[in-house]
Amino acid sequence: MTTATTRPSDRRISPVFLGIVAVTAVTGWATWTGFAEKPGIAVFLFVTGAWIVSLCLHEYAHARTALHSGDITVGSKGYLSLNPLAYTHALLSIVLPVIFVIMGGIGLPGGAVFIERDRIRGRWRHSLISAAGPLTNVLFAVACTAPFWLNALDGVPLEFRVALAFLALLQVSAAILNFLPVPGLDGYGVIEPWLSHSVKRQIEPFAPFGLLFVFALLWVPQVNAVFFDLVDWVLRGLGVSEIEASYGWSLYRFWN
């Protein structure tokens, strides 16, 4: 087992993450003010930037919870800096989720941080580490929809409003998918500590394919319809209509 300590520099926010936040802020301003000549491009950059920020916060939540649960190696691995380039699988963690959004308007998460589970004692702690990521998506969805369920939309430009609606759809879909008890997703990580050793051994070979299985399943029209009905039901509960989210999705795909 390796040893490591968390230094102050390990917690310093990465310039890469700050750059993504800056792009999100500037394009959000452009969407709000109508500064962009083509609002679809501004909406695309704003939503994509905010989506990547949420992915970074998702993985940070995993790492931070692991740190307080006993894995002191997460700092030396760069997981506390919010730098997406420090993740174990940058392709799975950032690139693929963005591609999923572009292709299907689905907030499908990816795997990123490697937690040294043998350093952590207690099944509840293991479950909490896995749950921390999708709970971040839940909080992000609540924040995005706050103007809707607080009836505070007076003066909010249409383009910015529907961009928030679509971003909320991504967060809700990410939370629902991530909580599925499928190997490779956080939902399985929540229940795994409570499974018998024999059951875990039988499931383990399928873990690398869980994410791809879910993505493929979502292309089945019947499954896709049921899934988005559930997403729309949650969004309606948060004050966001299907029309607003759909319009945000159409603006996001500015090239169509």
Side-chain angles (χ1 to χ4, degrees):
M1 182 183 297
T2 59
T3 59
T5 58
T6 303
R7 301 164 298 181
S9 59
D10 295 333
R11 305 178 188 225
R12 189 173 298 133
I13 297 178
S14 163
V16 175
F17 178 77
L18 293 176
I20 297 170
V21 171
V23 170
T24 304
V26 170
T27 53
W29 169 81
T31 302
W32 180 284
T33 61
F35 179 81
E37 182 177 347
K38 296 183 178 180
I41 296 177
V43 168
F44 175 82
L45 293 174
F46 169 59
V47 173
T48 300
W51 174 234
I52 295 175
V53 167
S54 73
L55 292 174
C56 293
L57 292 174
H58 175 115
E59 302 305 337
Y60 176 83
H62 284 310
R64 188 77 185 197
T65 308
L67 174 67
H68 293 292
S69 298
D71 183 4
I72 59 175
T73 68
V74 294
S76 61
K77 294 171 183 172
Y79 297 159
L80 300 179
S81 67
L82 291 165
N83 183 1
L85 301 180
Y87 296 152
T88 307
H89 301 291
L91 175 65
L92 289 177
S93 306
I94 300 298
V95 178
L96 282 183
V98 171
I99 292 175
F100 292 151
V101 171
I102 293 172
M103 290 178 60
I106 300 173
L108 195 62
V113 298
F114 174 72
I115 306 298
E116 296 191 11
R117 294 280 182 170
D118 57 341
R119 293 176 174 269
I120 298 162
R121 298 292 178 265
R123 290 183 291 184
W124 282 107
R125 289 181 177 177
H126 285 278
S127 295
L128 183 58
I129 291 169
S130 295
L135 286 175
T136 303
N137 293 112
V138 172
L139 292 176
F140 216 104
V142 171
C144 289
T145 58
F148 296 86
W149 50 264
L150 288 174
N151 294 317
L153 290 168
D154 290 343
V156 177
L158 176 63
E159 288 78 9
F160 190 85
R161 173 176 176 166
V162 298
L164 280 183
F166 178 55
L167 183 58
L169 180 149
L170 297 180
Q171 301 302 326
V172 170
S173 61
I176 292 174
L177 290 171
N178 234 340
F179 271 126
L180 292 176
V182 175
L185 297 179
D186 290 326
Y188 177 73
V190 172
I191 66 171
E192 183 184 22
W194 308 89
L195 301 177
S196 67
H197 182 66
S198 61
V199 171
K200 286 191 284 189
R201 285 190 61 186
Q202 293 175 10
I203 295 176
E204 187 176 359
F206 301 98
F209 310 104
L211 183 63
L212 294 177
F213 171 76
V214 170
F215 182 62
L217 199 59
L218 286 171
W219 284 99
V220 178
Q222 295 84 349
V223 176
N224 187 277
V226 171
F227 172 72
F228 275 105
D229 283 345
L230 176 58
V231 172
D232 290 337
W233 178 78
V234 174
L235 287 175
R236 285 196 302 271
L238 294 170
V240 179
S241 71
E242 181 181 353
I243 294 175
E244 289 168 318
S246 297
Y247 186 33
W249 164 233
S250 64
L251 274 183
Y252 181 83
R253 291 172 61 87
F254 66 90
W255 54 89
N256 284 348

Coordinates of all heavy atoms in Angstrom, one line a residue, residues 93-143:
S93 N -14.4 10.2 -19.0 CA -14.9 11.1 -18.0 C -15.4 12.4 -18.7 O -16.4 13.0 -18.2 CB -13.8 11.5 -17.0 OG -13.3 10.3 -16.4
I94 N -14.8 12.9 -19.7 CA -15.1 14.2 -20.3 C -15.6 14.1 -21.8 O -16.7 14.5 -22.1 CB -13.9 15.2 -20.2 CG1 -13.5 15.4 -18.7 CG2 -14.3 16.5 -20.9 CD1 -14.6 16.0 -17.9
V95 N -14.7 13.4 -22.6 CA -15.0 13.4 -24.0 C -16.3 12.7 -24.4 O -17.2 13.2 -25.1 CB -13.8 12.8 -24.8 CG1 -14.1 12.8 -26.3 CG2 -12.5 13.6 -24.5
L96 N -16.4 11.4 -23.9 CA -17.6 10.6 -24.2 C -18.9 11.3 -23.6 O -19.9 11.3 -24.3 CB -17.4 9.2 -23.6 CG -16.6 8.3 -24.5 CD1 -16.5 6.9 -23.9 CD2 -17.0 8.2 -25.9
P97 N -18.9 11.8 -22.4 CA -20.2 12.4 -21.9 C -20.6 13.6 -22.8 O -21.8 13.8 -23.0 CB -19.8 12.9 -20.5 CG -18.8 11.9 -20.0 CD -18.0 11.6 -21.3
V98 N -19.6 14.4 -23.3 CA -19.9 15.5 -24.2 C -20.5 15.0 -25.5 O -21.4 15.5 -26.1 CB -18.7 16.4 -24.4 CG1 -19.0 17.4 -25.5 CG2 -18.3 17.1 -23.1
I99 N -19.9 13.9 -26.0 CA -20.4 13.3 -27.3 C -21.8 12.7 -27.1 O -22.6 12.9 -28.0 CB -19.4 12.1 -27.7 CG1 -18.1 12.7 -28.2 CG2 -20.0 11.3 -28.9 CD1 -17.0 11.7 -28.5
F100 N -22.1 12.1 -25.9 CA -23.4 11.6 -25.7 C -24.4 12.8 -25.7 O -25.5 12.6 -26.2 CB -23.5 11.0 -24.3 CG -22.7 9.7 -24.2 CD1 -22.1 9.3 -23.0 CD2 -22.5 8.9 -25.3 CE1 -21.4 8.1 -22.9 CE2 -21.8 7.7 -25.3 CZ -21.2 7.3 -24.1
V101 N -24.0 13.9 -25.1 CA -24.9 15.1 -25.1 C -25.2 15.5 -26.6 O -26.3 15.8 -27.0 CB -24.3 16.3 -24.3 CG1 -25.2 17.5 -24.5 CG2 -24.3 15.9 -22.8
I102 N -24.1 15.6 -27.4 CA -24.3 16.1 -28.7 C -25.1 15.1 -29.6 O -26.0 15.5 -30.4 CB -22.9 16.3 -29.4 CG1 -22.1 17.5 -28.7 CG2 -23.0 16.6 -30.9 CD1 -20.7 17.6 -29.1
M103 N -24.9 13.8 -29.4 CA -25.6 12.8 -30.2 C -27.1 12.7 -29.8 O -27.9 12.5 -30.6 CB -24.9 11.5 -30.1 CG -23.5 11.4 -30.7 SD -22.7 9.8 -30.5 CE -23.9 8.7 -31.3
G104 N -27.3 12.6 -28.5 CA -28.7 12.3 -28.1 C -29.3 13.1 -27.0 O -30.4 12.8 -26.5
G105 N -28.6 14.2 -26.6 CA -29.2 15.0 -25.5 C -29.3 14.3 -24.2 O -30.3 14.5 -23.4
I106 N -28.4 13.4 -23.9 CA -28.4 12.5 -22.7 C -27.2 12.9 -21.9 O -26.1 12.9 -22.3 CB -28.4 11.0 -23.1 CG1 -29.7 10.7 -24.0 CG2 -28.4 10.2 -21.8 CD1 -29.6 9.3 -24.5
G107 N -27.5 13.1 -20.6 CA -26.4 13.3 -19.6 C -25.9 12.0 -19.1 O -26.1 11.7 -17.9
L108 N -25.2 11.3 -20.0 CA -24.6 10.0 -19.5 C -23.2 10.2 -18.9 O -22.4 10.8 -19.6 CB -24.5 9.1 -20.7 CG -24.3 7.6 -20.4 CD1 -25.5 7.1 -19.6 CD2 -24.2 6.8 -21.7
P109 N -23.0 9.8 -17.7 CA -21.8 10.1 -17.0 C -20.7 9.1 -17.4 O -21.0 8.1 -18.1 CB -22.1 9.9 -15.5 CG -23.2 8.9 -15.6 CD -24.0 9.2 -16.8
G110 N -19.5 9.4 -17.0 CA -18.3 8.4 -17.3 C -17.6 8.2 -16.0 O -17.8 8.8 -15.0
G111 N -16.6 7.2 -16.1 CA -15.8 6.9 -14.9 C -14.5 7.8 -14.9 O -14.0 8.1 -16.0
A112 N -14.0 8.1 -13.7 CA -12.9 9.0 -13.7 C -11.9 8.7 -12.6 O -10.8 8.2 -12.9 CB -13.4 10.4 -13.6
V113 N -12.3 9.0 -11.4 CA -11.3 8.9 -10.3 C -11.1 7.5 -9.8 O -12.1 6.7 -9.7 CB -11.7 9.9 -9.1 CG1 -11.7 11.3 -9.6 CG2 -13.0 9.5 -8.5
F114 N -9.9 7.1 -9.5 CA -9.6 5.8 -8.9 C -9.4 6.0 -7.4 O -8.5 6.6 -6.9 CB -8.3 5.3 -9.5 CG -7.9 4.0 -8.9 CD1 -8.6 2.8 -9.1 CD2 -6.8 3.9 -8.1 CE1 -8.2 1.6 -8.6 CE2 -6.3 2.8 -7.5 CZ -7.0 1.6 -7.7
I115 N -10.3 5.3 -6.7 CA -10.3 5.3 -5.2 C -9.6 4.1 -4.7 O -10.0 3.0 -5.2 CB -11.7 5.4 -4.7 CG1 -12.5 6.6 -5.3 CG2 -11.7 5.6 -3.1 CD1 -11.9 8.0 -5.0
E116 N -8.7 4.2 -3.8 CA -8.1 3.0 -3.2 C -9.0 2.6 -2.1 O -8.9 3.0 -0.9 CB -6.7 3.4 -2.7 CG -5.7 3.8 -3.8 CD -4.3 3.9 -3.3 OE1 -4.0 3.5 -2.2 OE2 -3.4 4.4 -4.1
R117 N -9.9 1.6 -2.5 CA -10.9 1.2 -1.6 C -10.4 0.4 -0.3 O -11.1 0.4 0.7 CB -11.9 0.3 -2.3 CG -12.7 1.0 -3.4 CD -13.8 1.8 -2.9 NE -14.6 2.5 -3.9 CZ -15.8 3.0 -3.7 NH1 -16.3 3.0 -2.5 NH2 -16.4 3.7 -4.6
D118 N -9.2 -0.2 -0.4 CA -8.7 -0.9 0.7 C -8.3 0.0 1.9 O -8.0 -0.5 3.0 CB -7.5 -1.8 0.3 CG -6.4 -0.9 -0.3 OD1 -6.6 0.2 -0.8 OD2 -5.2 -1.5 -0.4
R119 N -8.2 1.3 1.6 CA -7.9 2.3 2.7 C -9.2 2.7 3.5 O -9.0 3.4 4.5 CB -7.3 3.5 2.1 CG -5.9 3.3 1.5 CD -5.4 4.6 0.9 NE -4.0 4.5 0.4 CZ -2.9 4.8 1.2 NH1 -3.1 5.3 2.4 NH2 -1.7 4.7 0.7
I120 N -10.3 2.3 3.0 CA -11.6 2.8 3.6 C -12.2 1.7 4.3 O -12.4 0.5 3.8 CB -12.5 3.3 2.4 CG1 -11.8 4.5 1.7 CG2 -13.9 3.7 3.0 CD1 -12.4 4.8 0.4
R121 N -12.7 2.0 5.5 CA -13.3 1.0 6.4 C -14.8 1.4 6.6 O -15.1 2.5 6.8 CB -12.6 1.0 7.8 CG -11.2 0.5 7.7 CD -11.0 -1.0 7.3 NE -9.6 -1.4 7.2 CZ -9.0 -1.4 6.1 NH1 -9.5 -1.0 5.0 NH2 -7.7 -1.8 6.1
G122 N -15.6 0.4 6.5 CA -17.0 0.6 6.7 C -17.8 0.6 5.4 O -17.5 1.4 4.5
R123 N -18.9 -0.2 5.3 CA -19.7 -0.3 4.1 C -20.4 1.0 3.8 O -20.6 1.4 2.6 CB -20.7 -1.4 4.2 CG -20.0 -2.8 4.1 CD -21.0 -3.9 4.1 NE -21.6 -4.0 5.4 CZ -22.5 -5.0 5.8 NH1 -22.8 -5.9 4.9 NH2 -23.1 -5.0 7.0
W124 N -20.8 1.7 4.9 CA -21.5 3.0 4.7 C -20.7 4.0 4.0 O -21.1 4.8 3.1 CB -22.1 3.5 6.0 CG -23.3 2.8 6.5 CD1 -23.4 1.9 7.5 CD2 -24.6 2.9 5.9 NE1 -24.7 1.5 7.6 CE2 -25.5 2.1 6.7 CE3 -25.2 3.7 4.8 CZ2 -26.8 2.0 6.4 CZ3 -26.5 3.5 4.6 CH2 -27.3 2.7 5.3
R125 N -19.4 4.0 4.3 CA -18.5 5.0 3.7 C -18.3 4.7 2.2 O -18.2 5.6 1.4 CB -17.1 5.0 4.4 CG -17.2 5.6 5.8 CD -15.8 5.6 6.5 NE -15.9 6.2 7.8 CZ -14.8 6.3 8.6 NH1 -13.7 5.8 8.3 NH2 -15.0 6.9 9.8
H126 N -18.1 3.4 1.9 CA -18.0 3.0 0.5 C -19.2 3.5 -0.3 O -19.1 4.0 -1.4 CB -17.8 1.5 0.4 CG -16.4 1.1 0.7 ND1 -15.4 1.1 -0.1 CD2 -16.0 0.5 1.9 CE1 -14.3 0.6 0.5 NE2 -14.6 0.3 1.7
S127 N -20.4 3.2 0.3 CA -21.7 3.6 -0.4 C -21.8 5.1 -0.6 O -22.2 5.6 -1.6 CB -22.9 3.1 0.4 OG -22.9 1.7 0.4
L128 N -21.4 5.9 0.5 CA -21.4 7.3 0.4 C -20.5 7.9 -0.6 O -20.9 8.9 -1.4 CB -21.1 7.9 1.8 CG -21.2 9.5 1.9 CD1 -22.6 9.9 1.6 CD2 -20.9 9.9 3.3
I129 N -19.3 7.3 -0.8 CA -18.4 7.8 -1.8 C -19.0 7.6 -3.2 O -18.9 8.5 -4.0 CB -17.1 7.0 -1.7 CG1 -16.3 7.3 -0.5 CG2 -16.2 7.2 -3.0 CD1 -15.1 6.4 -0.2
S130 N -19.7 6.5 -3.4 CA -20.3 6.3 -4.7 C -21.5 7.2 -5.0 O -21.7 7.7 -6.1 CB -20.7 4.8 -4.9 OG -19.6 4.0 -4.9
A131 N -22.2 7.5 -3.9 CA -23.4 8.3 -4.0 C -23.1 9.8 -4.2 O -23.9 10.6 -4.7 CB -24.3 8.1 -2.8
A132 N -21.9 10.2 -3.7 CA -21.6 11.6 -3.7 C -21.6 12.3 -5.1 O -22.0 13.4 -5.2 CB -20.2 11.8 -3.1
G133 N -21.2 11.5 -6.1 CA -21.2 12.1 -7.5 C -22.5 12.4 -8.0 O -22.8 13.6 -8.4
P134 N -23.4 11.4 -8.1 CA -24.8 11.7 -8.6 C -25.6 12.7 -7.7 O -26.4 13.4 -8.3 CB -25.5 10.3 -8.7 CG -24.6 9.4 -7.9 CD -23.2 10.0 -7.9
L135 N -25.3 12.7 -6.4 CA -26.0 13.7 -5.6 C -25.5 15.1 -6.0 O -26.3 16.1 -5.9 CB -25.6 13.5 -4.1 CG -26.3 12.3 -3.5 CD1 -25.8 12.1 -2.1 CD2 -27.8 12.4 -3.5
T136 N -24.3 15.3 -6.5 CA -23.9 16.6 -7.1 C -24.7 16.9 -8.3 O -25.1 18.1 -8.4 CB -22.4 16.5 -7.4 OG1 -21.6 16.1 -6.3 CG2 -21.9 17.8 -7.9
N137 N -25.0 16.0 -9.1 CA -25.9 16.2 -10.3 C -27.3 16.7 -9.8 O -27.9 17.5 -10.4 CB -26.0 15.0 -11.2 CG -24.7 14.7 -11.9 OD1 -24.1 13.6 -11.6 ND2 -24.3 15.5 -12.8
V138 N -27.8 16.1 -8.7 CA -29.1 16.4 -8.2 C -29.1 17.9 -7.7 O -30.0 18.7 -8.0 CB -29.5 15.5 -7.0 CG1 -30.7 16.1 -6.3 CG2 -29.7 14.1 -7.5
L139 N -28.0 18.3 -7.0 CA -27.9 19.7 -6.6 C -27.8 20.6 -7.7 O -28.3 21.7 -7.7 CB -26.7 19.8 -5.6 CG -26.8 19.1 -4.3 CD1 -25.5 19.2 -3.5 CD2 -27.9 19.6 -3.5
F140 N -27.0 20.2 -8.8 CA -26.9 21.1 -9.9 C -28.2 21.3 -10.6 O -28.5 22.3 -11.1 CB -25.9 20.4 -10.9 CG -25.0 21.4 -11.6 CD1 -23.7 21.6 -11.3 CD2 -25.5 22.1 -12.7 CE1 -22.8 22.5 -12.0 CE2 -24.7 23.0 -13.4 CZ -23.4 23.2 -13.0
A141 N -29.0 20.2 -10.7 CA -30.3 20.3 -11.3 C -31.2 21.2 -10.5 O -32.0 22.0 -11.1 CB -31.0 18.9 -11.4
V142 N -31.2 21.1 -9.2 CA -32.0 22.0 -8.4 C -31.6 23.5 -8.6 O -32.4 24.4 -8.7 CB -31.8 21.6 -6.9 CG1 -32.5 22.7 -6.0 CG2 -32.4 20.3 -6.6
A143 N -30.2 23.7 -8.7 CA -29.8 25.1 -9.0 C -30.2 25.6 -10.3 O -30.6 26.8 -10.4 CB -28.2 25.1 -8.8

